[in-house]
């Protein structure tokens, strides 16, 4: 009897100077767990998260030598992960494995990624990955790029899949040590997905292009089945959807199902402040279902700049949305871009910081406007000769890669540091606690915080 194909799946690390919200939130690599689920009947699988110090390159080399994988799949979602991914790919190839790269970055620059990998899966991976493992050859499989001798072959794009065809993620394949690391401010966290894609077309974002301008949802039945799979002791769940609140009907159905099934967990999700203003009743239902953390992209306080970014948001809505969310007991993480307008001057950024100080954003984060491949911003910056370089180390929202007419790179770095030093998180911590108690009630507060790591984690969070 032929033995099963051996597969290692690796979530690659990123540089330690990454300051964006992912430095605070470390959640499971759900995409790899979906891939594992898609092949578990035909392969022996191991999953490693290279973000854990225990799973460093030396450890992975020993694992590859002992397990002798036929394939090593590496997930690369952020561009500055590619250097870690390439290092993993080298030792995987040395062990005799074929290397498959996937995720946002390899999908946008497949030719470059094939310098270190044998195959690149462009876009969604579940069905393509399974077909490749079964067939053992990329020939004729849509959605794959590969080399035939020195010729790069890009097979046609794959069709977007029905999300209900995707098997539930293989959470049981997580190593035990993962419970030590997957957390948000010290609170244990898991992740799940209810939709893919985004109907909006922000100029700096690649999601709408990545998913061919389609937005799809999973059925409520599958969402609840998935949610019930998450262990009882994990009370905090991050909905990793690209834009969870994009469709009011979908959100309402999800929330009603959570309430109807009496699932007592707390949820974080992405959101848009214009949706908050347009559908406050949707957020009221979300609050009842247990949603408490809202990640919103503010980007700029200038209506002109917001329009140029195709954000479809205005300053008035930003202020109204923040108030509505706070009245409902949400904790808001809002991101603001430094240099959101090519024509920004120092006084424009100073004004941005002053407005940020005046708004009650619980966790303000800041990033330098960064053009990523497969975005309209990338094409514009390249066409205007404004791209400083394509060193992916610098594509981390902290380092300037755009040449501005009125601001130097040092100016942008200065204002990023100034923003983090002057615009505080939780400006009124005790008032925030009181607001949470008033809007959500004592029982919700105790269930949400004091049973997840105790008082120490609660105080650390606030």
């Amino acid at each position: 009897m032929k033995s099963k194909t051996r597969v290692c799946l690796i979530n690659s690390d990123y540089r330690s100077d990454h300051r964006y919200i992912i430095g605070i939130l470390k959640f499971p690599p759900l995409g790899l767990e979906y891939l594992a689920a898609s092949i578990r009947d035909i392969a022996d699988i191991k999953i490693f998260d290279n973000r854990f110090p225990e799973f460093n390159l030396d450890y992975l080399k020993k694992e590859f030598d002992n397990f002798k994988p036929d394939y090593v799949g590496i997930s690369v979602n952020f561009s500055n992960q590619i250097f870690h991914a390439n290092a993993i790919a080298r030792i995987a190839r040395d062990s005799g494995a074929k290397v498959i790269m996937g995720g946002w970055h390899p999908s946008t620059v497949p030719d470059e990624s094939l310098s270190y990998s044998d195959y690149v899966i462009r876009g969604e991976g579940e069905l393509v990955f399974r077909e490749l493992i079964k067939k053992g050859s990329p020939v004729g499989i849509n959605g794959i790029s590969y080399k035939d001798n020195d010729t790069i072959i890009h097979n046609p794009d794959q069709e977007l899949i029905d999300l209900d065809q995707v098997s539930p993620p293989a959470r049981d394949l997580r190593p035990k040590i993962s419970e030590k690391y997957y957390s948000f401010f010290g609170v244990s966290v898991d992740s799940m997905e209810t939709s893919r894609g985004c109907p909006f077309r922000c100029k700096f974002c690649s999601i709408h292009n990545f998913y061919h301008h389609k937005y799809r949802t999973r059925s409520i039945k599958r969402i609840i089945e998935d949610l019930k799979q998450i262990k009882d002791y994990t009370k905090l769940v991050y909905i990793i959807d690209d834009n969870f609140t994009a469709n009011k009907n979908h959100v309402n159905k999800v929330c009603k199902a959570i309430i109807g099934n009496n699932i007592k967990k707390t949820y974080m999700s992405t959101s848009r402040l214009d949706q908050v203003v347009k559908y406050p009743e949707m957020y009221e239902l979300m609050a009842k279902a247990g949603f408490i953390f809202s990640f919103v992209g503010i980007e700029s306080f200038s209506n002109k700049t917001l329009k140029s970014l195709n954000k479809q948001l205005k300053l008035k809505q930003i202020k109204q949305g923040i108030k509505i969310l706070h009245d409902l007991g949400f904790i808001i993480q809002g991101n603001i871009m430094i240099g959101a307008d090519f024509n920004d001057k120092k006084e424009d950024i100073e004004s941005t910081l002053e407005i940020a100080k005046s708004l009650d954003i619980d966790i303000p984060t800041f990033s330098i406007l960064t053009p990523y491949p497969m975005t309209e911003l990338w094409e514009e910056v390249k066409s205007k000769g404004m791209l400083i370089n394509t060193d992916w180390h610098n594509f981390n929202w902290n380092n300037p890669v755009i040449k501005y007419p009125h601001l130097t790179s040092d100016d942008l770095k200065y204002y990023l540091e100034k923003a983090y030093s002057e615009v505080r998180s939780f400006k009124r911590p005790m008032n925030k606690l009181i607001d949470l108690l008033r809007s959500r009630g004592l029982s919700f507060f105790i269930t949400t915080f004091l049973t997840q790591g105790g008082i120490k984690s609660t105080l650390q969070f606030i």
Side-chain angles (χ1 to χ4, degrees), residues 21 24 184-185 292-295 326 329-334 356-357 359-366 420 422-436 445 449 457-462:
I21 192 67
I24 301 169
F184 182 55
F185 282 101
I292 190 169
F293 300 98
S294 189
F295 299 140
H326 278 156
F330 280 86
I331 296 170
I332 305 168
Q333 179 265 314
K357 292 176 191 177
L359 295 177
D360 194 11
I361 305 168
D362 301 307
I363 308 173
T365 58
F366 298 87
Y420 273 109
E422 294 186 3
V423 186
R424 294 177 53 202
S425 295
F426 295 111
K427 302 180 183 72
R428 302 170 296 112
M430 291 310 299
N431 286 0
K432 190 64 188 181
L433 287 173
I434 293 169
D435 289 343
L436 283 172
F445 179 81
F449 293 103
S457 289
T458 304
L459 293 176
Q460 179 186 5
F461 180 82
I462 297 296

Side-chain angles (χ1 to χ4, degrees), residues 247-263:
N247 184 292
K248 180 182 70 170
N249 292 333
H250 172 67
V251 174
N252 288 345
K253 289 177 182 177
V254 171
C255 292
K256 288 176 181 177
I258 289 172
I259 295 168
N261 283 271
N262 198 32
I263 300 174

Side-chain angles (χ1 to χ4, degrees), residues 57-72:
L57 292 181
D58 289 338
Y59 180 91
L60 292 177
K61 183 179 186 306
K62 292 176 183 176
E63 280 290 332
F64 296 158
D65 290 341
N66 294 331
F67 186 56
K68 296 185 175 13
D70 300 291
Y71 296 95
V72 172

Side-chain angles (χ1 to χ4, degrees), residues 322-428:
I322 289 173
K323 184 180 187 308
I324 291 170
L325 288 175
H326 278 156
D327 287 346
L328 292 171
F330 280 86
I331 296 170
I332 305 168
Q333 179 265 314
N335 186 67
I336 301 154
M337 289 182 177
I338 303 296
D341 189 317
F342 294 154
N343 292 311
D344 272 350
K345 299 178 181 178
K346 291 181 179 180
E347 53 265 33
D348 297 312
I349 301 183
E350 291 284 1
S351 176
T352 295
L353 298 189
E354 289 305 311
I355 296 173
K357 292 176 191 177
S358 71
L359 295 177
D360 194 11
I361 305 168
D362 301 307
I363 308 173
T365 58
F366 298 87
S367 60
I368 294 174
L369 180 67
T370 303
Y372 285 91
M374 202 186 278
T375 65
E376 283 78 10
L377 179 63
W378 171 265
E379 297 301 330
E380 181 180 359
V381 168
K382 285 184 65 179
S383 68
K384 292 181 176 179
M386 298 174 67
L387 190 65
I388 295 174
N389 61 59
T390 55
D391 180 353
W392 303 122
H393 281 113
N394 295 324
F395 283 68
N396 59 4
W397 298 293
N398 292 335
N399 291 304
V401 292
I402 297 174
K403 189 185 302 180
Y404 287 76
H406 307 297
L407 295 166
T408 66
S409 294
D410 286 341
D411 291 334
L412 293 165
K413 288 181 180 179
Y414 167 78
Y415 281 112
L416 182 66
E417 292 299 323
K418 184 175 182 179
Y420 273 109
S421 64
E422 294 186 3
V423 186
R424 294 177 53 202
S425 295
F426 295 111
K427 302 180 183 72
R428 302 170 296 112

